[in-house]
Amino acid sequence: MYDFKADPDLPVDEMYRELTGSAAALVDGESDPVANMANVAALIWQFVPRLNWAGFYRVIGDELVLGPFAGKPACIRIPMGQGVCGTAAESGETQLVADVHAFSGHIACDGDTLSELVVPVIRDGKVVAVIDLDSPENARFNDEDAAGIEALSKAIAQYI
């Protein structure tokens, strides 16, 4: 049994260090990428406050396909380059969106989502997945959140 505890009183940077360390411990030695994504999505949901969705989209051919997540049912397939997730996957760059309604081409899988953070997972120089966090709050995510999820992505990339 795993017993990772999220401390709501930790400063944000420490919370992300705890999240990344917990995720690294969970995926270490496990070769199944779906199992690893499932556990990491659950950890993100547990550690990061004020989310309405947290999970993965996997790069399959020329599109993103829904992977393990926590939250409401989501869009199953997203074309590369479309929406926040497709833009992150195609560009290989983090997308920090304070207001999804102002993002050209936003794909609304959940009408309650107001802000989004999407970080590519890069292995051997290629984007293999994205980590997607949605919030029902405008401007929920900032540079500290982006840096924390980027560190998480790097720590787990070889296991995804």
Side-chain angles (χ1 to χ4, degrees):
M1 181 176 94
Y2 298 108
D3 191 23
F4 298 105
K5 300 262 192 256
D7 182 349
D9 297 324
L10 283 179
V12 172
D13 63 330
E14 289 181 38
M15 180 269 298
Y16 281 113
R17 276 195 295 276
E18 290 287 324
L19 169 60
T20 299
S22 297
L26 272 175
V27 302
D28 185 40
E30 177 51 59
S31 62
D32 188 287
V34 173
N36 288 331
M37 285 184 272
N39 267 335
V40 173
L43 278 176
I44 293 168
W45 189 256
Q46 180 181 352
F47 274 77
V48 181
R50 305 183 335 265
L51 300 178
N52 61 328
W53 202 90
F56 290 85
Y57 278 93
R58 303 166 297 128
V59 175
I60 307 289
D62 61 351
E63 63 186 352
L64 295 172
V65 178
L66 182 63
F69 68 93
K72 293 180 185 176
C75 298
I76 296 172
R77 295 181 183 272
I78 298 174
M80 291 294 259
Q82 292 189 18
V84 181
C85 289
T87 299
E90 185 173 75
S91 69
E93 297 177 359
T94 295
Q95 301 296 305
L96 178 60
V97 180
D99 177 2
V100 296
H101 301 294
F103 188 91
S104 179
H106 174 253
I107 299 169
C109 298
D110 179 354
D112 292 336
T113 295
L114 297 178
S115 61
E116 192 166 359
L117 171 62
V118 182
V119 174
V121 178
I122 300 171
R123 185 178 64 230
D124 300 326
K126 291 176 50 177
V127 175
V128 296
V130 297
I131 301 170
D132 181 18
L133 305 184
D134 295 0
S135 176
E137 299 176 18
N138 273 316
R140 157 61 186 90
F141 306 106
N142 58 32
D143 290 337
E144 203 169 17
D145 295 297
I149 298 299
E150 288 168 350
L152 171 66
S153 173
K154 287 177 185 162
I156 65 169
Q158 69 180 346
Y159 301 100
I160 300 300

